[in-house]
Amino acid sequence: MNKIKLAVVDDHNLFRAGLVQILNQSDDLEVVLEATDGREFLAKLSSTEIDVVLLDVDMPELNGIEVTEKLRKDGQQDPKIIILSMHDEDQFILHLLEIGANGYLLKDTDPDELEEAIKKVYEKGIYFTDFVSRVMLNKATIKTRQRSGKFFNYKTDLSERELEVLGLICEGFTTAEIADKVCLSPRTVDGHRTRIMEKLGVHNTASLVAFAIKNDLISI
């Protein structure tokens, strides 16, 4: 396959340089854009096409949250976003996934897992580490204890079929796997996914999953 084009945005020069060196050692990855803060990144992005951005949260000029919001609102370029952070608070992680991040990695992540995350986000649009999965499971467990036991009990205008597809998306099944399970074509499943995201006001699979858990749409 063609190399995945990456941007690395971090205001710590040594960390950024080390990360770029590691990424460029892979035959499948290529860093084509570096920036020290969100403002510089957005300025360079206008003339550089990328597939995935590794985005630090804590930066002096437009932090990672602000950049994620701007990218998803603007829509001119819609790269996959992997957040890099030292923060491990549950609500912080869920918020970033909800506003449009495709993945969330702590900065002490192993290089092999980082490469795997980039490839999964590029191919499938979502990557949850074991840590982030536990965060989301904990959130779902709390929700489960608070409700009556119904699989879906959030009042939306989603159809029964859309709720079924949403549940399978949140379980991590691919479009092809969902199509096989519900006896529909992959194109029809993609249509359901698009309509679900439009109805819920989210922009990618990661934010869809975060929204579903936060708003009690699914039971895990």
Side-chain angles (χ1 to χ4, degrees):
M1 68 174 185
N2 294 330
K3 287 191 175 185
I4 301 172
K5 297 178 181 179
L6 304 173
V8 178
V9 187
D10 195 293
D11 62 326
H12 291 90
N13 293 332
L14 285 176
F15 178 83
R16 189 181 67 255
L19 187 57
V20 169
Q21 184 176 17
I22 290 171
L23 294 170
N24 280 336
Q25 289 175 355
S26 170
D27 294 334
D28 301 320
L29 309 176
E30 180 184 10
V31 178
V32 297
L33 191 161
E34 291 184 55
T36 59
D37 57 56
R39 196 175 302 281
E40 180 187 1
F41 165 64
L42 292 176
K44 289 183 175 180
L45 185 61
S46 62
S47 59
T48 308
E49 188 172 330
I50 64 168
D51 300 310
V52 179
V53 54
L54 304 179
L55 186 60
D56 184 24
V57 169
D58 298 312
M59 296 181 292
E61 292 288 336
L62 290 181
N63 60 43
I65 296 174
E66 293 169 319
V67 172
T68 298
E69 290 174 333
K70 283 181 176 294
L71 283 174
R72 296 309 182 223
K73 183 178 180 180
D74 179 56
Q76 291 185 5
Q77 272 211 51
D78 195 26
K80 306 295 191 299
I81 299 171
I82 297 178
I83 297 294
L84 300 176
S85 176
M86 294 303 296
H87 298 289
D88 59 1
E89 295 87 352
D90 292 9
Q91 292 301 320
F92 188 76
I93 295 170
L94 287 170
H95 176 67
L96 275 156
L97 294 174
E98 187 176 13
I99 65 174
N102 301 86
Y104 191 102
L105 295 174
L106 297 178
K107 282 193 170 182
D108 60 357
T109 296
D110 183 89
D112 289 338
E113 183 171 18
L114 174 60
E115 182 171 351
E116 179 187 2
I118 292 169
K119 291 179 179 178
K120 287 282 182 64
V121 161
Y122 176 72
E123 294 168 0
K124 297 186 176 181
I126 191 171
Y127 180 78
F128 294 149
T129 65
D130 291 342
F131 171 75
V132 173
S133 295
R134 285 196 297 270
V135 168
M136 300 185 78
L137 180 59
N138 288 340
K139 180 71 174 180
T141 300
I142 292 171
K143 288 287 187 181
T144 300
R145 291 171 180 168
Q146 293 174 342
R147 62 180 178 237
S148 63
K150 294 181 182 179
F151 188 73
F152 296 103
N153 67 353
Y154 189 81
K155 294 185 187 226
T156 71
D157 60 347
L158 296 181
S159 69
E160 184 176 345
R161 177 66 83 182
E162 287 168 345
L163 290 172
E164 182 182 16
V165 170
L166 174 60
L168 293 170
I169 290 171
C170 292
E171 290 180 47
F173 291 106
T174 65
T175 295
E177 290 168 339
I178 294 172
D180 184 60
K181 285 181 176 293
V182 299
C183 300
L184 296 172
S185 70
R187 182 175 179 180
T188 300
V189 171
D190 278 335
H192 282 308
R193 184 194 300 265
T194 299
R195 284 191 294 276
I196 292 167
M197 291 194 291
E198 288 174 351
K199 288 180 178 181
L200 299 182
V202 297
H203 303 290
N204 58 38
T205 302
S207 56
L208 175 62
V209 174
F211 182 96
I213 291 177
K214 182 177 179 179
N215 291 284
D216 204 15
L217 280 167
I218 64 168
S219 174
I220 296 179

